[in-house]
Amino acid sequence: MSPVRRVGRVLVAGVAAVLLLGGCANGAVVGATHGGVTARTSTDAPPWPAPTDLTARAEAAGLSNVWGQKLAEHVHTHLTILDGGEPVTVPGNIGHSDRAKFAAQIHTHDTSGIIHVESPTKDTFTLGQFFDEWGVSIGPAHVGGLHGDLTVWIDGRRFFGNPRSIELTNLRQVVLEVTTIGEVPRRPAPFDWPPQYH
């Protein structure tokens, strides 16, 4: 292959990579796959609304409708997302609808940030599943389209792994703090659990 043709192919590949990355940086939608089911997840900046297709989002997270079933597990985790110190709303009714009689094993009822885990079987449920169900992309260095440094706190202590792997356990407090690159993160104040959760 001639040097000119080789350079041309490299340029084409480079332009394609830049366009792909540019699309992701500007709120592209990527696929989340769980158990062979793929659903789209957003890399937009917040606000991130609750999903409207509860069944598809639940299946994308490896969950199902357990409405009315006898529970073997019922725990609550609190999630806080901070964008430069400003709280990002976690919507109510992620994975839940009274009208449709739908409740996935992981769901929210309101905008308090309390994630409910209600399952007829004892299983391990993770923050990654919650975000897949919500339809928001999350990984070791990002939350949706928020830009900066991601610091993860669990019960007031730094967590250095992939936030997707964090288990949703009772009265656990998870904070995802996105700060300006190079800014020193500050330990968040503990969540004041309402008395009915103790």
Side-chain angles (χ1 to χ4, degrees), residues 120-165:
T121 58
K122 285 248 182 215
D123 286 308
T124 298
F125 297 97
T126 66
L127 190 65
Q129 285 178 284
F130 175 71
F131 272 84
D132 289 345
E133 180 180 35
W134 188 1
V136 177
S137 178
I138 185 173
H142 78 282
V143 180
L146 297 180
H147 299 287
D149 284 334
L150 172 62
T151 303
V152 180
W153 305 87
I154 299 178
D155 297 330
R157 291 184 292 278
R158 291 281 298 270
F159 173 79
F160 292 96
N162 188 337
R164 292 187 59 82
S165 68

Side-chain angles (χ1 to χ4, degrees), residues 36-49:
V37 177
T38 300
R40 293 156 56 95
T41 56
S42 174
T43 58
D44 285 334
W48 302 305

Side-chain angles (χ1 to χ4, degrees), residues 26 54 97 172:
N26 292 319
L54 299 176
S97 169
R172 173 167 271 179

